[in-house]
Amino acid sequence: MTATVPAPAAREGTGRRAFDKKAVVPWLFLAPGLLLALVFKFWPMAKGIWLSFFDVRPFLGDKWIGLENYTRVLTDHRFQDAIGHTLILGIGQSVGAILLGFALALLLEGQARSLKFLRTAVFLPAVTATAVVGELWRLMYYPTSDGLLNSGLHFFGLGTVQFLDNPDIALYSTMVMGIWIWAPYNMVIFLAGLAGVDRSLYEAAAMDGVSLWQRLRYVTLPAIRPALMIVLTLATIRGLRVFTEVYVLTGGGPAGSTDVWMTRAYTLGFTRNDIGGASAASVVLLCVTLLLTVLVNNLRKRGEAR
């Protein structure tokens, strides 16, 4: 009785069909998400870039003007002021949220059930709609003695503070709310990084009698460097694209003291109907965001290579 050996061509065809099937199945699952991203993200993005080179005139036809929108946006003193406000708010909000998130992660690290409940409670601001959080903070900042914060100030014998109506402190009041929103998000990433720290390093450090600060500096921070770089990348993007916090709390006021790049672009496009100028402002922000993201990723790769 002789054994039959399948022909090589037949086996090759069967293997190719199996390979093709394995390659196609993931794309079938990704197709709905990719389609939604194409329709609601990438196509509007491409359309916005295209409109940034035109004087958009509904019902009259768009007029090609080249880089005039970009020149007008970059030389507008209100956009220049908005750049300064964006940098102050973005840097302050990012640094504050990173430091507070790291502190919360250190305090709430562990496996106890009570810590799990506290972590869930602390994380709530990050999953609550920013518009809702903004309205809550508006009530807290209410500029009379009935407001929550001003009630506390009156309890200590201090006067009423106009948190959102004073141009000198409105931007910093917005910054505090941003820190409160994003610190819990950073906390979760730091907790994931702390979970991978080798506990024997802490034991060795304790036996050597090192201080708490030295333990954080030489053991904890190097171990969570990947998580720190992820947080830094996300904070950079969020800081430049800040919009909802400012729009809900102040709308860019008072007297433009909290006007950031995104609120200025929004006002230009939807209040003054300057779609071309708003598109140009959005494209500039996109380019700056991409540039900073690449720089942060390069810093992360250099740190990992050391």
Side-chain angles (χ1 to χ4, degrees):
M1 191 173 184
T2 57
T4 57
V5 180
R11 285 184 301 187
E12 183 180 353
T14 304
R16 183 180 297 130
R17 285 196 298 271
F19 174 78
D20 292 342
K21 184 177 181 181
K22 291 181 180 179
V24 169
V25 169
W27 288 104
L28 292 177
F29 284 100
L30 290 173
L34 292 175
L35 181 61
L36 290 174
L38 177 64
V39 174
F40 294 104
K41 184 176 182 179
F42 295 111
W43 171 249
M45 185 184 300
K47 186 67 174 179
I49 295 174
W50 176 255
L51 291 177
S52 67
F53 298 103
F54 287 85
D55 177 15
V56 180
R57 302 178 300 178
F59 309 110
L60 296 177
D62 300 339
K63 178 182 178 182
W64 173 271
I65 57 175
L67 298 177
E68 184 177 328
N69 285 325
Y70 292 92
T71 303
R72 182 161 49 86
V73 165
L74 295 176
T75 55
D76 187 352
H77 71 91
R78 286 167 293 188
F79 268 104
Q80 293 173 355
D81 293 340
I83 292 174
H85 299 155
T86 303
L87 292 176
I88 294 173
L89 184 60
I91 294 173
Q93 183 174 289
S94 300
V95 172
I98 290 174
L99 294 177
L100 181 57
F102 182 60
L104 290 172
L106 293 176
L107 291 173
L108 300 179
E109 182 191 11
Q111 298 298 324
R113 287 188 175 181
S114 58
L115 289 178
K116 293 180 180 179
F117 174 77
L118 287 175
R119 285 197 292 263
T120 303
V122 170
F123 188 66
L124 285 178
V127 296
T128 305
T130 308
V132 175
V133 175
E135 288 300 325
L136 291 176
W137 277 83
R138 280 178 63 87
L139 295 176
M140 293 172 61
Y141 282 143
Y142 199 70
T144 67
S145 59
D146 297 330
L148 179 62
L149 295 179
N150 278 316
S151 296
L153 293 176
H154 274 274
F155 178 79
F156 290 103
L158 301 175
T160 301
V161 177
Q162 305 290 325
F163 290 100
L164 301 179
D165 297 327
N166 187 343
D168 296 328
I169 64 173
L171 187 65
Y172 301 100
S173 300
T174 307
M175 186 187 300
V176 171
M177 189 191 80
I179 294 173
W180 187 79
I181 291 174
W182 294 112
Y185 187 86
N186 295 338
M187 176 198 72
V188 172
I189 300 177
F190 283 130
L191 284 172
L194 290 172
V197 179
D198 188 357
R199 300 297 160 177
S200 63
L201 297 176
Y202 288 133
E203 297 173 1
M207 293 178 62
D208 292 338
V210 301
S211 64
L212 177 60
W213 166 247
Q214 290 175 327
R215 217 180 307 173
L216 287 175
R217 181 179 179 183
Y218 296 108
V219 178
T220 305
L221 289 177
I224 66 169
R225 181 177 293 172
L228 180 60
M229 296 310 298
I230 291 174
V231 169
L232 185 60
T233 302
L234 296 176
T236 301
I237 297 172
R238 284 197 306 261
L240 290 175
R241 296 171 56 187
V242 60
F243 171 75
T244 310
E245 299 95 313
V246 176
Y247 185 77
V248 173
L249 276 183
T250 64
S257 59
T258 61
D259 214 5
V260 293
W261 191 269
M262 285 294 292
T263 57
R264 189 64 206 154
Y266 178 88
T267 301
L268 198 63
F270 293 96
T271 302
R272 298 177 54 186
N273 294 321
D274 187 357
I275 304 300
S279 299
S282 301
V283 172
V284 171
L285 181 62
L286 174 63
C287 294
V288 174
T289 303
L290 290 175
L291 178 61
L292 288 179
T293 303
V294 170
L295 290 177
V296 171
N297 282 330
N298 287 335
L299 291 175
R300 176 180 60 82
K301 292 179 181 179
R302 290 181 182 178
E304 292 176 354
R306 291 178 182 176

